[in-house]
Amino acid sequence: MTALAYAGCTLIWGSTWMAIKFGLDGVPPFLGAGLRFVIAAGVLWVMILASGKRKPLSPQGKKAAWVASFLGFAWNYALVYWAETRVASGLVAVLFSLSPLLTAFFAAALGAERPGLRHVVGAFIGVAGVILLMWPEKGLAAADPWGLLAAFLACAGSALNLVLQSRWAKGEDSWILNARAMSVGAALLLLMSFVGESGATTAWSARNVAALV
């Protein structure tokens, strides 16, 4: 079961970059990201209600949920989706593979954990593997620098969120915490879309709807 769950996470996470790219065909980035998490949060709340989970979050857990709302969902995915409108999805995946290294950096900087040599070497091997698999033919030469910066900042925000979650979310119900964080994150993304994309045109198709789902 553990191996199957790991394979599932790898398949879903590894394919998300291409799905985002397809989903952006005709859909503004903040709107696409916001709708994605409206759907995800709705599914998760239905699962919570069906399972009868009622464990409230502690004050620390509520703090973790607010941080995840902003860093883990709004900041992270607004930048990722916007970056993929300017650079290849493979380059975004390569930059996001820096997450283990940045997580180790933030963990050490905030005194949460001091990574050992094995962790650092493993992170570098992981980055090398992603570069080998995802590096686009044109490389960095034709890439938009603002798109690259956005992808890096998204990765940094995601890494910082992981470190703060490890500090504040221990013992909390992960379903409740993520449902709350996704809901607020989706609202923030849709607010960003309303403010910044009100004049953008949206053209729905079977391809971008399938990518969103």
Side-chain angles (χ1 to χ4, degrees), residues 7 39 62 131 135 153:
I39 296 171
K62 292 177 181 178
I131 290 174
W135 191 262
L153 291 176

Side-chain angles (χ1 to χ4, degrees), residues 87-100:
V87 299
S89 59
L91 274 178
V92 178
V94 168
L95 286 169
F96 230 86
S97 70
L98 296 173
S99 182

Side-chain angles (χ1 to χ4, degrees), residues 38-191:
V38 166
I39 296 171
V43 171
L44 193 50
W45 280 119
V46 169
M47 293 170 65
I48 289 169
L49 292 174
S51 68
K53 289 178 178 286
R54 294 291 186 274
K55 183 181 178 182
L57 298 177
S58 69
Q60 288 285 85
K62 292 177 181 178
K63 187 190 299 186
W66 280 110
V67 168
S69 300
F70 178 70
L71 286 178
F73 293 104
W75 171 277
N76 179 11
Y77 284 96
L79 289 171
V80 165
Y81 273 65
W82 186 82
E84 289 216 25
T85 66
R86 305 177 75 92
V87 299
S89 59
L91 274 178
V92 178
V94 168
L95 286 169
F96 230 86
S97 70
L98 296 173
S99 182
L101 293 173
L102 290 175
T103 301
F105 168 79
F106 285 124
L110 297 176
E113 181 182 351
R114 187 174 296 278
L117 179 61
R118 185 177 62 175
H119 298 92
V120 174
V121 171
F124 272 109
I125 292 173
V127 172
V130 174
I131 290 174
L132 183 64
L133 289 171
M134 305 293 289
W135 191 262
E137 290 182 9
K138 295 182 180 179
L140 292 172
D144 178 83
W146 293 108
L148 295 176
L149 177 62
F152 177 79
L153 291 176
C155 181
S158 175
L160 179 58
N161 174 61
L162 289 174
V163 175
L164 295 177
Q165 295 304 312
S166 71
R167 176 177 292 183
W168 293 331
K170 289 179 179 177
E172 304 293 338
D173 188 311
S174 61
W175 290 35
I176 300 290
L177 193 154
N178 276 286
R180 288 185 57 162
M182 277 188 192
S183 300
V184 176
L188 291 172
L189 287 163
L190 292 179
L191 177 61

